[in-house]
Amino acid sequence: MPEPFSFRLIASDGMARRGEFVTPHGRVQTPAFMPVGTQATVKGLHPEAVAETGAEIVLGNTYHLMLRPGPERIAALGGLHKFMNWQRPILTDSGGFQVMSLSSLRKLTERAVTFRSHIDGTMFELSPERSIEIQALLGADISMQLDECLKLPATRDEIERAMKLSLRWAERSKRAFEGREREGYALFGIVQGGDDLGLRATSARELVDIGFEGYAIGGLAVGEPQAVMLEVVEETTPALPAERPRYLMGVGTPHDLLEAVRRGIDMFDCVMPTRNGRHGMAFTRFGSINLSNARHAHDPRPLDELSPHPAARTYSRAYLHHLTKANEILGGVLLSTINIAYYQDLMAGMRAAIADGRFEAFYAETMAGWTQGDIAPL
Amino acid sequence: MPEPFSFRLIASDGMARRGEFVTPHGRVQTPAFMPVGTQATVKGLHPEAVAETGAEIVLGNTYHLMLRPGPERIAALGGLHKFMNWQRPILTDSGGFQVMSLSSLRKLTERAVTFRSHIDGTMFELSPERSIEIQALLGADISMQLDECLKLPATRDEIERAMKLSLRWAERSKRAFEGREREGYALFGIVQGGDDLGLRATSARELVDIGFEGYAIGGLAVGEPQAVMLEVVEETTPALPAERPRYLMGVGTPHDLLEAVRRGIDMFDCVMPTRNGRHGMAFTRFGSINLSNARHAHDPRPLDELSPHPAARTYSRAYLHHLTKANEILGGVLLSTINIAYYQDLMAGMRAAIADGRFEAFYAETMAGWTQGDIAPL
């Protein structure tokens, strides 16, 4: 029998929290950053390399996997963990976000969203029940409810309509999840409400009434200023139960992570370390560094000689510049690895600082370090 | 003091040879296959992953590196071994082949070839002396003479003209190499002469008179049928000294390697395992397998459960099919790794068979195994 999902709060420092959750595939220390494994692979990295960065959990995308190769096929092959050779925890999103951002010919009804695949034009339907079914077929340790995620800015009426639909879908998601009796697995609800603090409060309250193993804040990092995002986070986390993990979806830059942990967030996912890595950008203690810049062409120094990750200590900036300019696969592979490793170092630093009651000092030191890079901290 | 370059013939079986050569960066067991590190990286692979396939030496391309980032820059950064984090032997080609195949506006004179970079249009000049200088700046354990490589078919006159120019360039290459006093490093001459056995014999005899640490057969695998290539190899190797390594440049398929070793070749390089891997093709004991074929979509079996390389044992054909169809970087990375590992296994199998005097049996078993794949052996 795997251990059932549970979350334990180990320490707090201001609003920042140090915790741990347990899943059928192992434990995860929080605050945690989840690398994104969109199509059953964290782009460019062997699963062993993902683990070596310190990552304890990855995210899989329901939208991409439902289109290709299909959840029934992955289930027949033994589930997503086996398929991608990652034996640690996996969280899957519900597919809602990518339906909105990637597919065409969407039609949203109370019952479901229908859409056309961006790959081959096939029509698909995604309901709360089907999303839960897909995530069960994949074998996700943590499933997410289906929600409707709007781009900001949007009108208050539109935000309210989407938030209320998401609440009704939350209830249906929970019933569907319970019907599957996946003992020890977890379902998270998603707070919506755009940049309207009143709607966010309503969403949080009603989700807590339904009751989930964890709570996400969705619909942020979709075009609004960072200050707006952080205000929503700061006002929303106190409305969520302290004994449940809190997940800020799709966020973000190292600076976003630092600020959001400071406001009570426990979990994150973002494509930024891999996507920016493929475009020649490194995230480091010294800020972000654009390796395609000619100033690095002669530079024999590694990105960070004190990094716990070998790739950041071994390869010269000149070599990473060369690989980036020559469009070599290894450039994207190394920078993606180095970036995820930096994100994991940052999370580990925050966890240690919270446990020691020195989060504010860590925050100040980290912010000061970032001013040494090529450009202002992202 | 590094050990000086030397070659030792350990065993022979028919024309097939088992040997070992020593370079300033270590020993190499022959017959050997050298993965190609075109732009200071074996495409997609960490240097540690290259070593884990069993490869003991890689090839670097003078043409690519002279254009970008430039040999003077690599020298200032400590040489190619340090630049690409590969501490084992490196052989560099002379640049001649890529000048002919990649650049435009070539002008060939007795003195040198001038050409326009395919990257940014800059004009470059490559003479035998400059090629040797570049290879010394890179720090190659084994340098190659500059030669003129023709595409086949070509007229006998044209082949003879190019062969004779290559001989004069061989002499100049040797004088330039000796002038640099790179104690312990090696220079190889290159037999030319197209598909004309008489011209090949002249080229081999005159090169041996000049005297090199090893001899390559160039100008093959440039469009001629396999039978023509093998006939040239079979007729040329007896004209080369037994106590020097013999290198068949730019070859080839697993079948080419097996046939060429059987005719006395000791060394190979080819982009095929990495290039074909990036296009979804796996080389295995069972022949070549095209993973983009839909028949693999549901197949839970690994490519080769008895492979000594974990990637060939771990990932299902269904997963490799998915990565290939989804154009995921990891697909090319895994298949490139698996293919280089298979090439190394094949070489190791040939080495053991020659040492045991059972090369013909190994040849027959290997050929029989290849008929089990998707398509006829390449």
Side-chain angles (χ1 to χ4, degrees):
Chain A
M1 268 295 287
E3 287 187 84
F5 184 87
S6 66
F7 177 76
R8 182 168 70 93
L9 191 60
I10 297 170
S12 295
D13 185 6
M15 290 177 79
R17 295 142 53 93
R18 165 80 181 89
E20 177 190 74
F21 61 82
V22 182
T23 80
H25 288 85
R27 287 161 193 267
V28 175
Q29 305 305 312
T30 64
F33 177 79
M34 303 183 281
V36 177
T38 309
Q39 303 194 98
T41 160
V42 176
K43 284 192 189 302
L45 271 69
H46 291 88
E48 296 87 344
V50 177
E52 280 163 19
T53 66
E56 296 181 314
I57 177 171
V58 300
L59 178 140
N61 281 122
T62 285
Y63 172 82
H64 288 281
L65 297 172
M66 78 182 284
L67 266 48
R68 184 174 56 195
E72 280 75 12
R73 181 175 301 163
I74 290 179
L77 290 161
L80 184 57
H81 293 85
K82 184 171 181 191
F83 188 60
M84 65 186 287
N85 191 29
W86 172 262
Q87 299 309 329
R88 303 182 188 211
I90 296 176
L91 178 148
T92 47
D93 65 11
S94 67
F97 180 78
Q98 268 96 16
V99 167
M100 305 301 164
S101 58
L102 294 180
S103 69
S104 59
L105 277 187
R106 285 182 301 281
K107 194 181 148 213
L108 186 73
T109 67
E110 181 66 29
R111 198 173 61 79
V113 56
T114 50
F115 61 94
R116 199 176 275 290
S117 158
H118 73 284
I119 300 171
D120 61 7
T122 311
M123 292 300 298
F124 285 88
E125 183 185 90
L126 191 63
S127 65
E129 293 77 15
R130 176 62 178 158
S131 176
I132 293 298
E133 179 179 34
I134 291 171
Q135 297 179 76
L137 286 164
L138 297 175
D141 295 274
I142 302 174
S143 299
M144 301 300 300
Q145 71 150 102
L146 188 64
D147 60 344
E148 185 191 352
C149 183
L150 295 176
K151 280 206 171 65
L152 295 180
T155 65
R156 188 183 186 284
D157 281 359
E158 185 64 1
I159 294 171
E160 181 169 19
R161 184 202 55 70
M163 180 273 280
K164 290 191 166 169
L165 177 67
S166 295
L167 279 175
R168 294 190 297 275
W169 284 6
E171 287 202 36
R172 285 168 56 189
S173 296
K174 189 179 181 190
R175 279 200 302 275
F177 188 83
E178 288 179 340
R180 301 196 157 263
E181 299 185 354
R182 299 182 68 219
E183 199 70 42
Y185 289 74
L187 176 66
F188 282 20
I190 304 177
V191 178
Q192 289 289 357
D195 51 5
D196 187 298
L197 297 178
L199 294 178
R200 287 278 175 183
T202 303
S203 175
R205 188 176 58 244
E206 299 207 11
L207 282 174
V208 173
D209 285 347
I210 300 170
F212 291 91
E213 279 80 26
Y215 296 89
I217 303 179
L220 292 177
V222 288
E224 78 287 0
Q226 189 198 41
V228 171
M229 175 181 84
L230 294 177
E231 189 189 9
V232 170
V233 170
E234 185 164 339
E235 296 295 324
T236 302
T237 52
L240 298 172
E243 69 280 10
R244 293 282 187 268
R246 303 157 180 175
Y247 163 29
L248 182 56
M249 302 183 80
V251 173
T253 65
H255 185 218
D256 289 338
L257 270 49
L258 193 64
E259 297 288 358
V261 167
R262 199 179 186 208
R263 288 164 176 81
I265 295 294
D266 306 306
M267 297 165 67
F268 303 89
D269 78 282
C270 192
V271 295
M272 205 172 274
T274 41
R275 180 175 293 166
N276 290 20
R278 291 197 305 282
H279 292 96
M281 182 174 284
F283 292 105
T284 75
R285 282 193 296 137
F286 314 112
S288 59
I289 297 178
N290 180 359
L291 283 154
S292 58
N293 191 309
R295 80 170 75 174
H296 305 296
H298 300 269
D299 194 338
R301 294 175 303 154
L303 278 169
D304 182 356
E305 59 193 13
L306 299 181
S307 168
H309 199 280
R313 291 194 310 266
T314 303
Y315 297 94
S316 66
R317 296 176 188 213
Y319 184 61
L320 296 168
H321 169 82
H322 166 68
L323 295 177
T324 298
K325 294 303 278 186
N327 244 320
E328 277 287 351
I329 298 169
L330 187 62
V333 168
L334 288 175
L335 289 173
S336 295
T337 309
I338 287 168
N339 288 346
I340 294 177
Y342 176 66
Y343 270 59
Q344 297 301 336
D345 293 347
L346 178 64
M347 304 316 288
M350 287 197 273
R351 290 195 296 267
I354 297 165
D356 294 349
R358 54 177 179 80
F359 184 81
E360 286 303 314
F362 179 85
Y363 173 92
E365 288 156 19
T366 304
M367 293 285 278
W370 286 336
T371 61
Q372 300 170 50
D374 262 28
I375 55 172
L378 275 173
Chain B
M1 267 296 287
E3 287 188 84
F5 184 86
S6 66
F7 176 75
R8 182 167 69 93
L9 191 60
I10 297 170
S12 294
D13 184 5
M15 292 177 76
R17 296 144 50 94
R18 164 83 180 89
E20 176 189 78
F21 61 81
V22 181
T23 79
H25 288 86
R27 285 161 195 269
V28 175
Q29 305 305 313
T30 64
F33 178 80
M34 304 184 282
V36 177
T38 309
Q39 303 193 99
T41 159
V42 176
K43 286 194 189 296
L45 272 69
H46 291 88
E48 296 88 344
V50 177
E52 281 163 18
T53 66
E56 296 181 315
I57 177 170
V58 300
L59 178 141
N61 282 120
T62 285
Y63 172 82
H64 288 281
L65 297 173
M66 80 183 281
L67 265 48
R68 182 174 57 193
E72 281 75 12
R73 183 176 298 164
I74 290 178
L77 290 161
L80 184 56
H81 292 85
K82 183 171 181 190
F83 188 58
M84 67 186 286
N85 191 30
W86 172 263
Q87 298 309 328
R88 301 181 191 212
I90 297 176
L91 178 148
T92 47
D93 64 9
S94 68
F97 180 79
Q98 268 96 17
V99 167
M100 305 303 164
S101 59
L102 294 179
S103 70
S104 59
L105 277 186
R106 285 182 300 281
K107 195 182 149 213
L108 185 72
T109 68
E110 182 66 28
R111 198 173 61 77
V113 56
T114 50
F115 61 93
R116 199 176 276 289
S117 158
H118 73 283
I119 299 170
D120 62 6
T122 311
M123 291 303 295
F124 284 87
E125 183 185 271
L126 190 63
S127 64
E129 293 76 16
R130 175 61 177 158
S131 176
I132 293 300
E133 178 179 35
I134 291 172
Q135 297 179 74
L137 286 164
L138 297 174
D141 295 273
I142 301 175
S143 298
M144 301 302 298
Q145 70 151 100
L146 188 65
D147 60 345
E148 185 191 352
C149 183
L150 294 176
K151 280 207 171 64
L152 294 181
T155 66
R156 187 183 186 286
D157 281 359
E158 184 65 2
I159 293 171
E160 182 170 19
R161 185 202 54 72
M163 181 272 281
K164 290 192 167 169
L165 178 67
S166 295
L167 279 175
R168 294 190 297 276
W169 284 6
E171 288 203 36
R172 285 169 55 190
S173 296
K174 188 175 181 192
R175 278 202 302 277
F177 188 82
E178 288 179 341
R180 301 196 157 264
E181 300 186 351
R182 298 182 68 216
E183 199 70 45
Y185 289 76
L187 175 66
F188 282 20
I190 305 177
V191 178
Q192 289 289 355
D195 50 6
D196 188 297
L197 297 178
L199 294 178
R200 286 278 174 185
T202 305
S203 175
R205 188 176 58 246
E206 300 209 9
L207 281 174
V208 173
D209 285 347
I210 301 171
F212 292 91
E213 280 81 27
Y215 296 89
I217 303 180
L220 291 177
V222 290
E224 79 285 0
Q226 189 199 39
V228 172
M229 176 181 83
L230 294 178
E231 188 189 10
V232 171
V233 169
E234 185 164 339
E235 297 295 324
T236 303
T237 53
L240 298 172
E243 69 279 12
R244 294 281 186 267
R246 303 156 179 175
Y247 162 28
L248 182 56
M249 301 184 80
V251 174
T253 65
H255 184 219
D256 290 337
L257 271 49
L258 193 64
E259 297 289 359
V261 167
R262 200 178 184 211
R263 289 163 175 82
I265 295 293
D266 306 306
M267 297 165 66
F268 302 89
D269 77 284
C270 192
V271 296
M272 205 173 275
T274 42
R275 180 176 293 166
N276 290 20
R278 292 197 303 281
H279 292 96
M281 181 174 285
F283 293 105
T284 75
R285 282 193 294 137
F286 315 112
S288 61
I289 298 178
N290 180 359
L291 284 153
S292 59
N293 191 308
R295 81 170 75 173
H296 305 296
H298 300 268
D299 194 336
R301 293 175 303 154
L303 279 169
D304 183 356
E305 59 194 12
L306 298 182
S307 168
H309 199 279
R313 292 194 310 267
T314 304
Y315 297 94
S316 65
R317 295 175 188 215
Y319 184 61
L320 296 169
H321 169 83
H322 165 69
L323 294 178
T324 298
K325 296 302 280 185
N327 243 322
E328 277 286 351
I329 298 169
L330 187 62
V333 168
L334 288 176
L335 289 173
S336 294
T337 309
I338 286 168
N339 288 347
I340 293 177
Y342 176 67
Y343 271 58
Q344 297 302 334
D345 293 348
L346 178 63
M347 304 316 288
M350 289 197 271
R351 290 195 297 265
I354 297 165
D356 294 350
R358 52 175 181 81
F359 184 80
E360 285 304 314
F362 180 84
Y363 174 91
E365 288 156 18
T366 303
M367 293 284 279
W370 286 336
T371 62
Q372 300 170 49
D374 261 26
I375 54 171
L378 274 175

